Amino acid sequence: MTMLKTRSEEEVVMLVDAEEEEETESDEDESESEEISIMHYASSQKILLVGEGDFSFSLCLARTFGTSYNIVTTSLDSLEMLGKKYSNGVENVRELEERGCIVIHGVDATEMSQHYFLSTQRFDRIIYNFPHVGFMFPENSSCQIEMNKRLVTEFLRNAKLLLTKSGEVHVSHKEGQPYSQWNLAKKAETIGLRFHLKVPFRRADYPGYSNKRADGFFADESFPLFPASTFIFHLDDISA
């Protein structure tokens, strides 16, 4: 007959103490790597920002997370042009880089999937705030509307190629006429992205963010955002 060896009281106490020590260490580790979130974005996500103006939106995320090693942020402007257009642009870029962010200049949103670095990456969130080709015609003219529609369509086509399987593309833009004529949801559907959700965009939700006109003599000035929304898209078949 096999005899079961029982543990002494001292052994049990030592075991409990050891387990409690392990749990405490585990809790400390979890605390150190705790996820930090702001609105739809979290420090655990790999985030790509496209078409940034003075990079203040990117910096808002970076400051919230504490670091920005999870962020890649891009702009069509060169660093030299950034300094000419925006009073805080270069300063914002410097802080982003100090926080670990990858900042890339001269990135065209309509061709970004072919970029030598971006083409090797996949992102959980791809963000384009207030896409616009610039003020070449009156805002409500058919030419201006068609140019903006082409911009967002080609952006979505490229973003689709850079998403993780469960990733999301976020496009924020103004509501009402003529912006409703951009038909974001329909454009996305034609290239295999599924419209998931529309949520209000409020600048106050992103401390430090300053949206910019980004074009012409008043490039550094903001424009009214209300009403504006963020349109969220998924891959058409996220199980694929």
Side-chain angles (χ1 to χ4, degrees):
M1 181 169 123
T2 303
M3 298 291 294
L4 295 175
K5 185 179 178 182
T6 59
R7 296 183 185 276
S8 68
E9 247 183 70
E10 187 179 355
E11 286 176 321
V12 171
V13 169
M14 287 172 65
L15 239 138
V16 170
D17 286 345
E19 286 174 357
E20 286 177 351
E21 247 181 60
E22 284 177 11
E23 286 175 6
T24 302
E25 287 173 4
S26 174
D27 288 344
E28 286 174 357
D29 290 342
E30 285 176 11
S31 175
E32 287 174 3
S33 61
E34 184 181 353
E35 183 176 77
I36 302 172
S37 299
I38 176 170
M39 299 304 293
H40 325 290
Y41 312 113
S43 55
S44 62
Q45 299 164 347
K46 189 169 183 182
I47 298 172
L48 171 65
L49 293 110
V50 178
E52 281 287 83
D54 69 348
F55 289 90
S56 57
F57 191 88
S58 300
L59 190 55
C60 166
L61 300 187
R63 286 173 173 170
T64 300
F65 301 154
T67 64
S68 54
Y69 291 102
N70 62 320
I71 298 174
V72 177
T73 185
T74 70
S75 158
L76 183 59
D77 295 321
S78 65
L79 182 60
E80 181 183 6
M81 183 57 69
L82 184 77
K84 290 177 179 177
K85 287 172 69 172
Y86 306 112
S87 56
N88 293 325
V90 173
E91 182 183 340
N92 290 346
V93 165
R94 294 290 178 250
E95 183 175 342
L96 281 165
E97 291 176 336
E98 286 170 5
R99 291 177 179 272
C101 183
I102 296 175
V103 181
I104 311 176
H105 303 283
V107 175
D108 186 334
T110 67
E111 300 175 352
M112 64 185 185
S113 63
Q114 305 305 311
H115 187 274
Y116 70 93
F117 173 73
L118 297 179
S119 63
T120 67
Q121 308 297 306
R122 294 296 176 269
F123 298 92
D124 302 306
R125 298 290 182 272
I126 299 178
I127 306 165
Y128 197 169
N129 289 323
F130 306 100
H132 202 283
V133 294
F135 301 95
M136 302 178 189
F137 302 97
E139 189 76 315
N140 61 353
S141 72
S142 58
C143 291
Q144 186 74 48
I145 291 168
E146 286 305 313
M147 291 173 72
N148 281 319
K149 285 167 70 173
R150 196 175 306 123
L151 169 63
V152 294
T153 301
E154 290 307 311
F155 159 70
L156 290 169
R157 194 187 309 279
N158 278 261
K160 176 188 173 184
L161 300 175
L162 300 178
L163 273 184
T164 59
K165 285 187 177 180
S166 58
E168 296 178 357
V169 181
H170 292 194
V171 181
S172 295
H173 82 136
K174 295 176 72 172
E175 295 269 38
Q177 292 294 339
Y179 309 102
S180 58
Q181 294 182 54
W182 294 17
N183 297 323
L184 282 182
K186 286 185 179 178
K187 293 294 181 187
E189 186 179 353
T190 63
I191 59 173
L193 284 172
R194 177 164 48 85
F195 173 66
H196 172 62
L197 187 65
K198 183 177 78 170
V199 293
F201 181 97
R202 292 179 289 263
R203 186 166 52 186
D205 292 332
Y206 301 97
Y209 171 52
S210 178
N211 62 300
K212 301 296 183 181
R213 291 177 64 85
D215 184 53
F217 187 75
F218 300 104
D220 201 25
E221 291 190 4
S222 294
F223 54 88
L225 287 184
F226 182 80
S229 296
T230 298
F231 292 74
I232 299 175
F233 303 94
H234 291 167
L235 290 173
D236 195 35
D237 182 4
I238 61 174
S239 63

